[in-house]
Amino acid sequence: MPDISTRKVNPLFLREEELRQGIELLFYAYRDFTEVADQMLAQYNFGRAHHRVIYFVSRNPGITVSDLLAILKITKQSLSRVLGQLVREGFIEQKTGLQDRRQRLLTLTEKGEALERELTKQQRALIAEAYREAGAESVEGFRKVMLGMMEEKDRKRFEDDGATGQRRRIG
């Protein structure tokens, strides 16, 4: 990984060229972030939508379909296609809600958990290396930039817990 800590801070970071470079950095980083996962997903005839569903069901066991739709911001039809395939192929299990029988609660099966671990392993390593290289102050800056790009309601998912000082992920 190249040494990214020696780049000087540009005080003119809101200029057109700096903003365009930020856009390109996001494109290139996302391309590299998803590359290995895309190759693994292709072996199952899955795409990135499958990955996102698997990831967020893993992070939120028992999540309702409506809550998953709110996170992913995709149509019911798109989720139905992806979720149907994941259920049929044994990666996700659906259960009826106990209080509300209309709810469908989603959890990963053992097979789904194994795939999620493999998909995430490479991505965690990539992020961990970048975080180590950049240092704590830069990681906090990155976090602030990412949060600043999100809608307010999604930022709340990553609020600090005032009592413990720990970051908590909600939903």
Side-chain angles (χ1 to χ4, degrees), residues 52-105:
R52 286 188 290 269
V53 168
I54 288 169
Y55 182 81
F56 283 107
V57 170
S58 170
R59 294 288 287 165
N60 304 279
I63 190 171
T64 64
V65 170
S66 60
D67 287 343
L68 185 58
L69 281 167
I71 290 171
L72 299 176
K73 288 193 170 186
I74 60 176
T75 65
K76 285 182 184 178
Q77 183 179 5
S78 294
L79 179 58
S80 179
R81 181 186 56 78
V82 169
L83 190 55
Q85 184 180 9
L86 290 168
V87 169
R88 278 190 311 276
E89 295 186 25
F91 291 91
I92 289 184
E93 180 178 70
Q94 292 185 100
K95 292 183 180 172
T96 304
L98 297 175
Q99 284 85 17
D100 185 345
R101 309 242 346 122
R102 295 171 297 179
Q103 286 184 327
R104 290 184 295 154
L105 308 177

Side-chain angles (χ1 to χ4, degrees), residues 9-57:
V9 176
N10 184 348
L12 304 174
F13 56 87
L14 292 177
R15 288 181 31 212
E16 177 72 12
E17 186 53 36
E18 291 292 320
L19 296 173
R20 286 193 172 271
Q21 186 180 64
I23 291 168
E24 289 180 33
L25 287 168
L26 279 170
F27 279 129
Y28 283 104
Y30 188 68
R31 178 201 65 196
D32 294 350
F33 178 74
T34 57
E35 182 178 27
V36 172
D38 285 348
Q39 291 168 0
M40 279 193 260
L41 290 162
Q43 296 172 17
Y44 296 92
N45 291 318
F46 291 168
R48 289 184 185 166
H50 295 84
H51 187 188
R52 286 188 290 269
V53 168
I54 288 169
Y55 182 81
F56 283 107
V57 170

